[in-house]
Amino acid sequence: MTRRFPAFKAIVLREVLRFIHQRERFLAALVRPLIWLLVFAAGFRAALGLSIIPPYQTYITYETYIVPGLCGMILLFNGMQTSLSLVYDREMGSMRLLLTAPQPRWFLLFSKLCGATFIGILQCYAFLIIARLFGVEHPLLGHLTVLPALILAGLMLGALGLAISSFIKQLENFAGVMNFVIFPMFFLSSALYPLWKMQESSETLYWICRLNPFTHAVELIRFALHVSLSPWALLWTVLAGAAFTVLALWGYDPARGMIRKRR
Amino acid sequence: MLSVSDLSFSYDTKQALKDVSFRAEPGRFTALLGPNGAGKSTLFALLTRLFTTRDGQIEIAGHDLAKAPREALAVMGVVFQQPTLDLELTIRQNLSYFAALHGLSGKDAAMRIDAALDRLDIRARAGEKARSLNGGHRRRTELARALIHQPKVLLCDEPTVGLDAQARAAITAHVHDLAEDGLTVLWATHLTDEVRESDDVLLLHQGVLRASGTARDLTGAQALNDWFLEQTGTPV
């Protein structure tokens, strides 16, 4: 059997190198949540009153509330960026090189997913540090306990990106993904407002938010950042991650042929 | 050896390959000749398992591609029609990435990479970014890369597309040398000047294998280009 570890390392390293070469991407990944945190939150803190809900045990500022949601946003954008780069790789041909390696296809895709998740987590930590410098603090231990939550959320959203990339035929179609995946997922979640607020205005929207896996990824991060665990969020995130992974593997199955569709 | 039997493939309703069977032998340069749209790229996608079909069988150096795909891919080197170098990485980094995909690392990988670079005479430029290379050198790098894991079968899918005459001749000659050294080579092209008289030729047209044999035997007194035009009825 061909040795797998060198392949895994090389695929992850290549994702990291690619990320380093794209300085604009790193900057955008940091600036985007910071704008939400420093501008959007400043404007909305007065409009949105927050009651004490778990995991919080005291009144918190709005900035504190949205930090986990913005970590989720980083991972969501990162997942979609991965999807974009996979479609790009396919158009450019380097995907062929990857998929003709003598390794199981699930392993090659999983390695890609791990590389992408690793980069997403680096971005989250950079954001958490900057947020802290601006006075938005979380328990110090929370920065450690949030790691498994970020890994799980990152893998789930990365798997979503992977699945989407197998169904997008051309690079040009990617703008549609932004409109139909990122924005609904982000706004129909608990990232920016607690779900009880949503329930006050619409029961239907509330239930959509409850079913949205992104909500559960954000809640998983929120609880973990406060050194506690939401078992329900954990279960949903894992289940959604597994479902997206299966969908991605099916999308990349050579018998289906992701390249067959776009001759 | 590369052996293909009764291979068929359809894109939805359009049949791209129909009952294609052939063998490419070790030590031989086998040219897969066909006009654009003949089914060459489909055949290569099937040979490299980018997609699969239930109709037919492919064997790479004794390994059935459907039953033992990893063993088959491990003994295969491929130069794709599309450029597949990461332009932001150096030549050496590109080759290391590929070696790692094949499970090679450390000293073993470094030695093989040096040998491959020497063979293609590009070792002096190993530290340069792929972006700085011209088309000919990029192709050479891709060929060097395809040889790192010492494959038994080399597949080249129109590898000279976009190259100037000199670079084209150099790459073609080099791959002929590799075949003489014992490698099984399958070389897809629509350019007849890349084929020598003694080469094996497979003529693919409209998804069907129309002729096979050495170029000399197939063409008789005719020039290969004239024969090809006559057989396919298309301008080359």
Side-chain angles (χ1 to χ4, degrees):
Chain A
M1 191 184 76
T2 314
R3 291 191 307 142
R4 289 192 190 160
F5 184 66
F8 178 78
K9 208 169 81 177
I11 294 170
V12 172
L13 188 67
R14 183 170 179 265
E15 290 295 310
V16 174
L17 282 177
R18 178 187 265 193
F19 183 68
I20 292 169
H21 288 142
Q22 298 172 335
R23 258 170 252 150
E24 298 82 2
R25 182 177 156 196
F26 186 56
L27 214 60
L30 276 183
V31 167
R32 199 181 299 118
L34 283 174
I35 286 177
W36 280 88
L37 185 69
L38 304 176
V39 182
F40 179 86
F44 268 66
R45 67 198 298 182
L48 288 166
L50 295 172
S51 62
I52 300 174
I53 49 164
Y56 307 112
Q57 286 156 358
T58 172
Y59 280 106
I60 47 154
T61 61
Y62 184 59
E63 282 89 341
T64 307
Y65 178 81
I66 64 168
V67 162
L70 295 178
C71 282
M73 179 203 231
I74 292 173
L75 295 174
L76 179 63
F77 267 89
N78 190 62
M80 294 309 122
Q81 186 84 37
T82 309
S83 177
L84 174 71
S85 74
L86 282 163
V87 177
Y88 179 82
D89 274 1
R90 202 168 67 204
E91 298 231 322
M92 292 302 124
S94 49
M95 192 64 157
R96 285 166 193 261
L97 191 74
L98 182 72
L99 294 182
T100 52
Q103 307 280 358
R105 197 167 276 200
W106 67 263
F107 170 78
L108 295 167
L109 295 172
F110 178 72
S111 304
K112 269 257 178 203
L113 189 57
C114 288
T117 305
F118 178 66
I119 289 162
I121 290 170
L122 284 184
Q123 293 169 42
C124 283
Y125 273 107
F127 169 68
L128 285 173
I129 291 168
I130 296 174
R132 201 174 181 86
L133 294 178
F134 278 100
V136 187
E137 294 189 3
H138 290 84
L140 261 183
L141 185 60
H143 292 83
L144 188 66
T145 51
V146 80
L147 180 61
L150 292 177
I151 292 174
L152 281 177
L155 286 174
M156 187 267 278
L157 295 167
L160 174 67
L162 206 59
I164 290 173
S165 72
S166 70
F167 296 102
I168 295 179
K169 290 178 190 165
Q170 283 162 347
L171 213 51
E172 294 80 44
N173 302 343
F174 206 79
V177 174
M178 290 287 287
N179 293 327
F180 290 105
V181 177
I182 290 188
F183 294 127
M185 268 196 120
F186 184 60
F187 289 114
L188 288 168
S189 79
S190 59
L192 297 179
Y193 18 76
L195 291 191
W196 63 265
K197 282 252 173 207
M198 193 58 117
Q199 197 172 15
E200 278 179 355
S201 51
S202 162
E203 193 70 24
T204 314
L205 285 180
Y206 167 74
W207 277 104
I208 295 175
C209 294
R210 286 288 306 259
L211 293 173
N212 181 358
F214 185 69
T215 294
H216 299 284
V218 169
E219 290 310 303
L220 187 68
I221 295 170
R222 188 187 308 286
F223 276 75
L225 203 50
H226 284 82
V227 202
S228 55
L229 173 72
S230 165
W232 185 241
L234 175 66
L235 181 71
W236 258 98
T237 308
V238 170
L239 284 181
F244 293 145
T245 305
V246 169
L247 194 64
L249 291 178
W250 182 70
Y252 278 95
D253 182 356
R256 257 193 84 252
M258 54 117 201
I259 293 169
R260 174 194 303 199
K261 289 200 299 181
R262 49 166 303 277
R263 250 189 96 187
Chain B
M1 186 188 51
L2 166 69
S3 153
V4 171
S5 16
D6 303 320
L7 198 66
S8 297
F9 187 80
S10 301
Y11 293 100
D12 297 325
T13 52
K14 186 178 176 284
Q15 183 133 36
L17 289 177
K18 194 172 179 223
D19 295 327
V20 172
S21 300
F22 65 87
R23 286 156 76 101
E25 302 288 345
R28 302 288 300 161
F29 183 102
T30 304
L32 178 69
L33 209 53
N36 291 329
K40 301 192 296 292
S41 291
T42 303
L43 178 59
F44 266 75
L46 289 169
L47 291 175
T48 52
R49 203 171 170 268
L50 285 173
F51 42 80
T52 55
T53 176
R54 285 183 194 159
D55 306 323
Q57 197 188 16
I58 298 168
E59 259 188 40
I60 316 278
H63 302 288
D64 187 318
L65 189 60
K67 289 181 187 146
R70 295 201 282 288
E71 287 79 354
L73 290 172
V75 291
M76 181 197 293
V78 190
V79 179
F80 295 99
Q81 189 176 349
Q82 294 160 301
T84 54
L85 291 178
D86 189 328
L87 300 181
E88 295 304 326
L89 301 184
T90 64
I91 295 180
R92 189 177 290 282
Q93 283 172 328
N94 265 293
L95 269 55
S96 300
Y97 172 66
F98 177 83
L101 287 181
H102 279 258
L104 304 169
S105 60
K107 270 188 186 167
D108 181 28
M111 274 166 56
R112 285 166 185 253
I113 289 169
D114 284 342
L117 290 170
D118 280 339
R119 204 179 302 131
L120 274 294
D121 205 17
I122 42 175
R123 188 161 169 183
R125 307 189 65 175
E128 291 181 29
K129 278 195 176 181
R131 189 178 291 286
S132 69
L133 302 181
N134 65 28
H137 278 95
R138 285 184 193 180
R139 272 295 165 191
R140 271 196 208 199
T141 306
E142 288 181 310
L143 184 57
R145 185 178 61 184
L147 299 171
I148 288 177
H149 57 299
Q150 293 164 336
K152 291 180 180 161
V153 176
L154 178 67
L155 304 179
C156 301
D157 185 9
E158 306 205 29
T160 57
V161 164
L163 298 188
D164 61 34
Q166 199 182 3
R168 204 154 70 81
I171 291 265
T172 312
H174 187 80
V175 175
H176 272 96
D177 291 345
L178 290 171
E180 277 169 24
D181 289 343
L183 200 63
T184 303
V185 174
L186 183 68
W187 174 282
T189 186
H190 61 274
L191 302 167
T192 50
D193 61 347
E194 293 174 357
V195 184
R196 294 180 185 168
E197 272 195 339
S198 56
D199 291 340
D200 288 331
V201 169
L202 304 165
L203 180 71
L204 191 67
H205 185 43
Q206 295 172 341
V208 178
L209 196 62
R210 297 289 173 95
S212 65
T214 64
R216 190 183 294 115
D217 291 345
L218 288 174
T219 57
Q222 238 177 341
L224 180 62
N225 199 37
D226 296 339
W227 175 83
F228 178 56
L229 273 176
E230 193 180 281
Q231 294 287 319
T232 57
T234 50
V236 182

